[in-house]
Every structure is written in structure tokens, then in C-alpha cells.
Amino acid sequence: MDGMKRKKTRRSAGSRRASVSFPPELYETLQGIARQKRVSVAWVVRDAAEKYVAEKWPLFASDHRPRP
């Protein structure tokens, strides 16, 4: 890796990465929520996605919720 260190992540082996773009106002709101909860914006987005899926499709809801 040409002298660069790899950043270790805490993703589980089954995790998948996604890239998402947000309008500036929404991203600022997500940042504010993340600061309040002392978590990352990624955590806030994962939490929101899990809540959305649980509400819309309860049979697919996961018992494995992210914790701050």
C-alpha cells in the first residue's frame, strides 16, 4: 500500500457499503443530530434506515439495532 496505513473499521463481515448524496440542508440536519447523540452521521443514517424498514415492512425488521 505504498507506506499508507489502512484504517480499521468496525463493520461486520456481512456489512455492505453505500454512497449517498444529500441536499446541503438535510446533511446539516444529520450532522446536528449526530453531534447531539455523539455518533457519526453514518450511524444516524443507518438508524433512520432501520427504523424506516421496521415501520414499512415489520417482517423484515432487524433485532440488531445500532447503539450510540
Side-chain angles (χ1 to χ4, degrees):
M1 287 221 342
D2 207 20
M4 293 176 57
K5 290 185 180 180
R6 269 193 154 160
K7 184 177 178 182
K8 291 183 181 181
T9 62
R10 288 189 276 173
R11 288 185 284 148
S12 68
S15 293
R16 299 293 182 254
R17 182 176 294 270
S19 178
V20 181
S21 297
F22 297 104
E25 302 82 19
L26 178 55
Y27 190 74
E28 288 173 17
T29 300
L30 293 169
Q31 286 180 311
I33 293 167
R35 272 193 301 272
Q36 278 184 330
K37 292 181 159 285
R38 294 188 170 132
V39 296
S40 66
V41 170
W43 186 95
V44 174
V45 172
R46 281 189 302 269
D47 186 53
E50 285 194 2
K51 287 177 180 174
Y52 178 85
V53 170
E55 180 183 317
K56 298 292 182 181
W57 296 282
L59 296 177
F60 293 106
S62 167
D63 290 335
H64 198 220
R65 308 253 332 131
R67 303 276 186 245

